[in-house]
Amino acid sequence: MSMLKFNNEVDWVAPCLPTLVPATSHNKRLMFDAVDQLQEGNYTSYSSALEFAYEAFRMFEEYKQPWEGSNCHKVIMFFTDGGTEWPEEVIKKYQNDTVTRNVRIFTYASGPHPIPTVILKSIACTTNGYYNTLTALAAIGPRVQDYVKILGRPLIQSGEDTLYQWTNFYRDIGGLGMMATVTLPVANLTEKNDQSLVGVMGIDMALSELEAQYSKQIIGPLGYGFAINQNGFVVFHPRLKDQQAYMEESPDLDILELEGRRLDSNRVREAMVLGEFGSFLNVSHVQILDSKHALPIRMNFHFGQIGNSTFRFCLALPVGHVALEVSSQSHEAGLRLDNNKGVLLAPWAYCDGLEEDPSVMLLSEAIANNTNNCSLKGQAQHLLWDAAKIGLIWKEWEGTPEARAKSRFIFTDSGITAVYPETEKIHYMNQRDPSRNGFFKRAARAKAFVFDVKHKKQGKGVRVESVLVGRKIAVKKQNQNYIAAVVGSEVAASVIGKAFLDITSTGFDKKDDVLCNKPDELACYLIDQGSIVIASNQQNTKVGSRLSESDAQVMSKLLLEGVFEREHSFSHEKWCPRRKTRKQMLAELAAAGAGRHSPLLSWASNVLALVDTLKMALSTILWWGLPTLSETIAAVGWEPSVERNFSCVQRATWLFHSGLLYSGDYECDGCVRPIRVSFLPDLALMLVVADAPCQCRNNAYVNIDDSEMDACKLKSKIRLRPATCYDRDTSADCGVSSTSSSSTTPLTPVLAVVAVLPLLFCNSRGPG
């Protein structure tokens, strides 16, 4: 599709898309925005507009890639407020051309006006199109959609009886979750010469029914399934659930916009679109875990076509994935967690006939009574095994003084979350599903403790920061480690901050006089592998913010040197805030001179000693909150619910540690600012130490905020055409009768627009 604007001159509505493009969500959004900027003026030239449109088809056919276009319907949708020019020569010329001879023209007379519209109907009838009038805003939707009965007529006349189609998954307005619909056209066959499409019948299928075909517990928290159609558009994907929460319409979203645009992702997409069965192993991949963290990981992708449908399914599993099979667990007593009020269950369908998000008591009764053989299934057996271990941990928690912990927790991969004390359970509701728990996923892959900052409301308008600290529990199985759970504690952010300052403010040989207790001279940051600040000596630095928000000079240098890498992803059909002036996230820069004394350089020799001291001190604090378990092995979301104001497409950026360290200088305007980065391996944290900021004419700025996607830069991708095209019929019906209408007061200013649509599918939707 594409859109043209014309009066006495003709041009593309969106100049950056000077050809026909797929009718994806971002392409349509780009054109909608461009239409909003149009202004009426001058006189109209039908001949110029139609010739431009016909030539667009010719140029597209000449230069298109082998997979572009459907080789089916070619349609021009022509909107105007009326005219008297009869472009007969142009139409005859292109009806004798092999490329454009079958182009239909649908004409629409927009608004009440004194200009005759006979010419518009003549254009439609001459090209086997359809003519209609748009006399009021309310008529636009139903009248424009009249093209469906015209383009659908050849399909009905074909007599095919296997014309069912599957929609993409969408969020059910009745609250039933994600649904897809299989549809069949309903035809009027009573009139031999006027057989036409009169409606569609369908039946819904819940996404949960498809997901039930594979166990989340078996594929693990980092494994997932997704499906696409033959055009590479997402049918369902775990991240699409978040993005569809506020959708205006089902998006035509390419899988690369969720899986990333790396070469390996393109290879997987191409093989799936072509309907191949196979696997790509050890693929470099970055998983988006939550709103602040991304995880570089190597994955195995296994894919194939679903029957004879246009769907393709892929199962993605991390390299080295191990599933634990549990059996022979006694079920007569149920889960034995009824009295533990601090227990949550993942919202999964554990047993047939049981609701998807059961209470602990309800599920325990179903397992105890072996309802529908529930207790014999692998998922229930795994729950029983985990529940027995949690009971022991709970007793240990109850017998251990709480000391400095706000709460203690354990997440199991079977879907149990236990929180002590139980009054803190409400703060873990969004983390009870391991497949959507970013903290669980990071801990499962790390070889150390992982940290996460939580913001909790305490009283009216008061926000309190705390830090989750956890590590994985692994079980040996066939010389491989199976991640059974993640266990940890919630500690006040002030506890971590105080420990950090106590350690970094004491000289090792008692002679150092410049340490982190002098924040005006030395900036010290403790950050995680997503560049999130865990502690700092800078008063204006917020715990839980990105380092770039506090010290753009340091962050820009670390990005330039490759210490951190970026991962971009797109959120489609988001509700975004109305445009405001971007708030600059720059720290207040301290005055500095080019020839100043560098506190960091005089202290650099002691950094490694500091790392060891800090690691030991924090480990001592954190180990106290964890239960003592055998076979414990050290190793490593996006759930926002924010009300937005208008539909948009946004690009978001995640940062992750590349594995590199850094020792060097940031320089600007003759100022040299030393920077050192050290890794704390047993804590999965980094210590960043730098001199006071330089004061430069051009301040550093790291743009990692959400920003609207530039759809103009996206390239065309391989698609698979439908095998059959139903595009011609001999009906003489070409629209309503055309009469001259008049009005002394027109509606809103009329936009003169030509919309050119080579339909992407034989049964494609229209321009809307």
Side-chain angles (χ1 to χ4, degrees), residues 245-532:
Y246 303 101
M247 272 199 344
E248 294 176 342
E249 63 171 323
S250 180
D252 296 317
L253 185 64
D254 196 275
I255 186 61
L256 295 184
E257 290 159 31
L258 294 180
E259 287 291 307
R261 299 178 176 276
R262 292 175 176 77
L263 177 61
D264 287 336
S265 299
N266 271 289
R267 292 169 57 215
V268 172
R269 179 194 180 281
E270 181 174 339
M272 292 180 67
V273 165
L274 296 176
E276 297 177 3
F277 289 82
S279 300
F280 283 106
L281 306 179
N282 202 27
V283 173
S284 177
H285 186 64
V286 176
Q287 274 200 34
I288 306 300
L289 303 183
D290 51 41
S291 60
K292 293 184 178 179
H293 294 95
L295 178 66
I297 187 174
R298 303 202 75 83
M299 302 285 289
N300 295 329
F301 290 86
H302 311 279
F303 50 84
Q305 185 174 347
I306 302 177
N308 294 323
S309 73
T310 59
F311 288 179
R312 290 89 166 93
F313 179 77
C314 180
L315 186 62
L317 297 172
V319 172
H321 171 68
V322 178
L324 183 65
E325 183 178 353
V326 180
S327 60
S328 303
Q329 300 294 306
S330 176
H331 66 87
E332 288 77 9
L335 295 176
R336 299 180 183 179
L337 295 173
D338 301 354
N339 296 326
N340 295 333
K341 304 300 183 182
V343 173
L344 298 167
L345 292 176
W348 298 344
Y350 290 96
C351 298
D352 294 339
L354 201 63
E355 61 187 49
E356 187 172 299
D357 190 1
S359 66
V360 175
M361 181 175 295
L362 188 63
L363 179 58
S364 182
E365 290 177 355
I367 292 176
N369 298 327
N370 195 22
T371 304
N372 295 326
N373 291 323
C374 177
S375 63
L376 302 180
K377 295 185 177 181
Q379 203 160 12
Q381 287 284 301
H382 201 125
L383 275 173
L384 289 165
W385 187 72
D386 281 346
K389 303 297 186 294
I390 287 176
L392 298 175
I393 294 172
W394 194 276
K395 290 180 180 179
E396 184 174 340
W397 282 343
E398 290 181 323
T400 304
E402 292 189 14
R404 292 164 289 181
K406 287 188 172 184
S407 64
R408 284 176 272 188
F409 60 86
I410 182 168
F411 306 123
T412 75
D413 77 323
S414 65
I416 298 178
T417 296
V419 182
Y420 183 85
E422 64 188 52
T423 54
E424 294 294 312
K425 177 176 70 172
I426 189 174
H427 299 298
Y428 290 82
M429 285 293 292
N430 289 336
Q431 294 176 289
R432 58 192 175 125
D433 185 345
S435 66
R436 303 174 70 77
N437 184 339
F439 184 81
F440 185 104
K441 294 179 181 182
R442 287 197 296 133
R445 300 298 294 184
K447 297 179 180 179
F449 288 101
V450 292
F451 294 69
D452 192 25
V453 177
K454 293 189 70 172
H455 302 276
K456 298 195 300 186
K457 290 185 178 180
Q458 193 175 76
K460 188 174 181 180
V462 178
R463 292 175 62 86
V464 178
E465 285 78 28
S466 59
V467 179
L468 296 186
V469 188
R471 67 188 309 169
K472 67 185 180 184
I473 297 176
V475 177
K476 288 281 188 179
K477 180 184 179 182
Q478 298 177 352
N479 296 323
Q480 291 182 301
N481 293 327
Y482 166 72
I483 311 305
V486 170
V487 64
S489 299
E490 178 191 9
V491 184
S494 58
V495 173
I496 302 293
K498 184 176 184 304
F500 173 71
L501 292 177
D502 287 347
I503 296 166
T504 57
S505 299
T506 304
F508 303 104
D509 56 8
K510 307 301 180 182
K511 296 181 180 180
D512 295 314
D513 60 351
V514 180
L515 295 168
C516 291
N517 62 343
K518 296 184 178 181
D520 292 338
E521 299 182 21
L522 205 63
C524 302
Y525 305 98
L526 189 65
I527 63 175
D528 70 8
Q529 293 176 303
S531 81
I532 305 301

Side-chain angles (χ1 to χ4, degrees), residues 600-634:
L600 176 58
L601 294 181
S602 65
W603 188 48
S605 61
N606 286 319
V607 168
L608 292 180
L610 171 66
V611 169
D612 291 336
T613 304
L614 182 62
K615 179 177 64 177
M616 292 177 61
L618 284 181
S619 295
T620 301
I621 293 173
L622 302 177
W623 264 117
W624 137 88
L626 303 179
T628 303
L629 296 173
S630 59
E631 297 186 17
T632 299
I633 302 175

Side-chain angles (χ1 to χ4, degrees), residues 207-258:
L207 176 59
S208 57
E209 294 182 31
L210 186 58
E211 290 182 329
Q213 302 304 311
Y214 59 90
S215 169
K216 291 185 179 180
Q217 185 267 319
I218 291 177
I219 67 174
L222 289 164
Y224 60 95
F226 66 88
I228 63 174
N229 63 21
Q230 63 187 19
N231 291 295
F233 292 159
V234 177
V235 175
F236 74 87
H237 190 286
R239 285 192 54 222
L240 189 63
K241 293 181 182 180
D242 299 325
Q243 299 184 4
Q244 286 191 322
Y246 303 101
M247 272 199 344
E248 294 176 342
E249 63 171 323
S250 180
D252 296 317
L253 185 64
D254 196 275
I255 186 61
L256 295 184
E257 290 159 31
L258 294 180

